[in-house]
Amino acid sequence: MSAPASATIRPREPNPRPEDLVQHAAAFRDRLRDEQGATEERGAYSTETHELFRQAGFYRTLLPRRYGGYEFDVPTFLRVIVEIARGCPGTGWGLCLAAGHGLQIGGLYGEAAQAGAIGPDGDFAAPMRGIPMGTATRTEQGSWRIAGTWDYCSGSPYSTHAMLAVRLDEGDGPTGAQGLALVPRSDWTLMDDWRHRSFGMRGSGSNSIQVDGAVVSDEFVVRGNPLGFGGKPATPGYRLHGNPMYAGHSMGYLQLEITSVLVGCAYAALDEYERIIRAKKTPGPHGVPRFQTADYQRHWGVASGKASAAEDVLLRSSEFYMELCREAVVDDKGFAPEQLMRIHASTHHAVNLAWEAVELLFRTSGTSEGGSNGSRMQRYYRDISTARTNVGLQWETFATVLAQEHFGLKADGLV
């Protein structure tokens, strides 16, 4: 691929530095922590918090500068999400899986779709559901009629659009070909079916979306399977913006999103554990603050090391993803599936480290804390336990797929 000779750049002012955005996210921690209960009850963070996030620029992090975004790199975005999730994992999940797909709108879709969806002010957020649960039927006018119901559309409550995998029907019925439809918020119904049935991540806004015959223009449907590792992704966004990040492959990136939230969850549990062992004393008539005893020091120290190691894996994997994006546009080589799979394999173990940290802290925090309904420690345990049921986090199964790719065997469904 060759980058454009020039591009119309419209920087947003004031334009923060990446570090400013990360620090701003960290400043939300106390507010988000105090709102956790209400966030769970509501099923998503509040409209007031959403507006503060919008003003802070979090939704703009990955959007192209041409359309009012900051166009920061993937590591910066993940650091923002770690900080938000440290205040509230459910909020972090919801924000991440709405704001994070600025990468897909900026890369997979062409100029007409980007201009129509993002507009001049950088106002864009969208869940991305990559499993086809509906259809896109070609109309006589050349547009597409979208219909179906997609579950687990995390981040949907405050999204302006939705990215929904569809089975394409060009007039003779669905043929097995897939696409990714970009559907405006006015054309879908948000179903209140998440918070009432979820064990954890109740505040993540992982609602279902129903689309009943919405018509979108041709440029709002991209052909292909967004959940494959093989081949060269369609990257009109790279040609438009000249940034290799927008040539990226979704399957090298999507696992990074989830991992960033769970690293933040591990840090949230570590913060809560410190509060507990500073406030509580050991049993008996001569009790001392728990943080002064070797057992609790060891628990905190082990968990701290695991959380830090998980973050190191996350950030190095995100840097590796950016390296692969740059390499992919050199001589039009594209992506090697095994390299993208390495990101998944590594971040799976970062998630395992985060889980081990939370489980240790939950187990040793005491029944009055971890076992108490409504307690923060219980919430963190529920959140990370629910997240680990995600099909994308089944690391044992994926290890087999990675080995099949390495040894030249067929990895069904992923390449």
Side-chain angles (χ1 to χ4, degrees):
M1 304 177 194
S2 60
S6 62
T8 302
I9 301 299
R10 300 182 57 186
R12 172 174 164 77
E13 298 295 344
N15 202 16
R17 299 170 302 172
E19 195 61 39
D20 295 335
L21 206 66
V22 175
Q23 292 177 2
H24 200 167
F28 276 87
R29 189 176 306 158
D30 289 342
R31 175 190 177 94
L32 298 178
R33 190 179 289 147
D34 291 343
E35 291 180 348
Q36 285 178 5
T39 297
E40 278 201 336
E41 180 65 25
R42 189 186 304 109
Y45 48 88
S46 67
T47 55
E48 292 81 8
T49 296
H50 162 64
E51 180 59 23
L52 290 172
F53 285 173
R54 192 188 66 79
Q55 293 175 9
F58 298 150
Y59 295 105
R60 302 176 184 270
T61 308
L62 295 172
L63 289 175
R65 296 185 73 229
R66 181 187 184 100
Y67 297 113
Y70 296 141
E71 206 169 311
F72 291 154
D73 62 10
V74 170
T76 296
F77 178 69
L78 300 179
R79 291 174 64 206
V80 167
I81 297 302
V82 168
E83 294 296 345
I84 295 296
R86 188 168 183 168
C88 176
T91 294
W93 189 286
L95 175 64
C96 182
L97 275 75
H101 302 131
L103 205 62
Q104 278 68 40
I105 183 65
L108 296 180
Y109 293 86
E111 183 173 9
Q114 292 191 39
I118 307 173
D121 300 320
D123 186 16
F124 178 87
M128 177 176 167
R129 192 68 170 111
I131 298 175
M133 297 181 177
T135 57
T137 304
R138 179 72 82 174
T139 70
E140 293 181 357
Q141 293 74 31
S143 53
W144 296 93
R145 189 177 302 278
I146 313 298
T149 300
W150 289 259
D151 58 9
Y152 302 114
C153 292
S154 300
S156 51
Y158 299 112
S159 286
T160 64
H161 293 74
M163 294 179 178
L164 306 171
V166 290
R167 299 181 299 277
L168 300 180
D169 179 353
E170 307 230 33
D172 299 320
T175 62
Q178 292 186 29
L180 190 66
L182 182 64
V183 184
R185 177 66 183 86
S186 58
D187 290 332
W188 46 266
T189 300
L190 183 70
M191 303 175 70
D192 186 13
D193 62 350
W194 173 246
R195 59 194 171 99
H196 302 296
R197 61 184 173 90
S198 172
F199 173 67
M201 286 292 173
R202 293 177 183 170
S204 64
S206 299
N207 304 57
S208 296
I209 283 175
Q210 185 176 47
V211 185
D212 186 17
V215 176
V216 300
S217 58
D218 183 57
E219 60 265 21
F220 273 50
V221 175
V222 173
R223 294 175 181 273
N225 175 11
L227 299 186
F229 285 99
K232 298 175 183 176
T235 55
Y238 171 66
R239 294 190 294 272
L240 178 63
H241 305 298
N243 186 339
M245 179 174 73
Y246 296 125
H249 214 299
S250 293
M251 285 302 280
Y253 166 73
L254 297 177
Q255 203 66 47
L256 294 167
E257 290 183 312
I258 294 175
T259 304
S260 68
V261 177
L262 301 187
V263 169
C265 184
Y267 279 125
L270 196 66
D271 292 340
E272 180 64 4
Y273 196 80
E274 179 171 348
R275 184 196 67 78
I276 292 169
I277 64 176
R278 285 184 179 277
K280 285 185 171 291
K281 293 184 177 181
T282 56
H286 304 293
V288 298
R290 292 183 180 183
F291 78 93
Q292 295 179 1
T293 66
D295 283 345
Y296 291 100
Q297 293 166 1
R298 181 172 61 255
H299 299 328
W300 185 92
V302 169
S304 177
K306 288 178 182 290
S308 179
E311 184 178 27
D312 288 344
V313 172
L314 168 70
L315 295 180
R316 177 62 193 113
S317 295
S318 67
E319 292 165 356
F320 181 57
Y321 176 79
M322 296 294 294
E323 291 168 11
L324 293 181
C325 290
R326 289 188 289 269
E327 292 173 2
V329 302
V330 176
D331 299 326
D332 198 21
K333 291 182 178 179
F335 293 84
E338 186 173 347
Q339 291 181 312
L340 293 171
M341 289 179 178
R342 281 177 53 191
I343 295 174
H344 279 238
S346 296
T347 52
H348 281 163
H349 292 289
V351 170
N352 288 344
L353 286 168
W355 156 253
E356 289 169 4
V358 175
E359 191 280 331
L360 172 63
L361 298 171
F362 172 79
R363 176 167 52 85
T364 61
S365 63
T367 304
S368 63
E369 295 292 343
S372 176
N373 285 334
S375 73
R376 290 173 185 161
M377 188 62 76
Q378 186 199 77
R379 182 173 295 118
Y380 303 146
Y381 183 81
R382 287 190 288 104
D383 282 350
I384 201 166
S385 297
T386 296
R388 292 178 77 241
T389 67
N390 185 290
V391 65
L393 294 182
Q394 304 314 304
W395 59 276
E396 302 98 331
T397 301
F398 187 81
T400 302
V401 176
L402 173 61
Q404 290 173 344
E405 176 64 29
H406 179 77
F407 290 108
L409 304 173
K410 183 176 177 60
D412 290 334
L414 290 174
V415 294

